[in-house]
Amino acid sequence: MTWAIPEFVGIPAPAVACCTTAHGDLHWANLTSPLRILDWEGRGRAPQGFDAATLYAYTLLKPDMAARVRDAFPILGSRAGLAAEATVCAQLLQTVARGGNLILADPLRGWSEELRRR
């Protein structure tokens, strides 16, 4: 991420204060009702807030829901969560550059602008 965050988000890679166990691919298709989290093959260690940041990223097309995700996970928007947010944003902008997740391109760019302001 020392290369990808500056390249795709435009800030130096933030220091990771704390790593925690993470699902690694937490998005709406991996959640059920009642709440179950599916598809754990990407689990591992990641910056604190990584899963919340991933879920937030996949919610950017629905601003009301994105705001609810931010409210539910106070790590988002905090100094402690910056590394996770910048990592997820950089990863997804990198997929956009490769032709994937194109529907998220503009919201991800907006998120990267917000991260630069922080």
Side-chain angles (χ1 to χ4, degrees):
M1 297 321 300
T2 57
W3 171 82
I5 292 172
E7 180 71 19
F8 291 98
V9 179
I11 60 172
V16 176
C18 177
C19 280
T20 60
T21 300
H23 178 274
D25 190 27
L26 192 65
H27 54 75
W28 298 105
N30 286 335
L31 296 171
T32 67
S33 179
L35 183 59
R36 300 262 192 282
I37 302 174
L38 308 174
D39 192 21
W40 284 87
E41 79 262 359
R43 71 178 161 76
R45 307 276 296 161
Q48 182 181 14
F50 185 88
D51 286 336
T54 303
L55 190 61
Y56 174 74
Y58 285 108
T59 310
L60 288 172
L61 294 174
K62 298 186 180 229
D64 291 344
M65 183 61 75
R68 289 179 63 191
V69 170
R70 275 207 175 272
D71 288 344
F73 298 100
I75 188 82
L76 299 175
S78 74
R79 187 162 192 74
L82 181 59
E85 289 188 72
T87 299
V88 170
C89 189
Q91 286 178 335
L92 290 174
L93 282 169
Q94 190 171 24
T95 67
V96 167
R98 293 177 179 158
N101 291 315
L102 295 178
I103 196 166
L104 289 174
D106 288 338
L108 288 169
R109 287 185 191 108
W111 188 21
S112 71
E113 289 172 17
E114 184 237 316
L115 293 171
R116 284 193 296 276
R117 286 190 298 273
R118 284 181 25 203

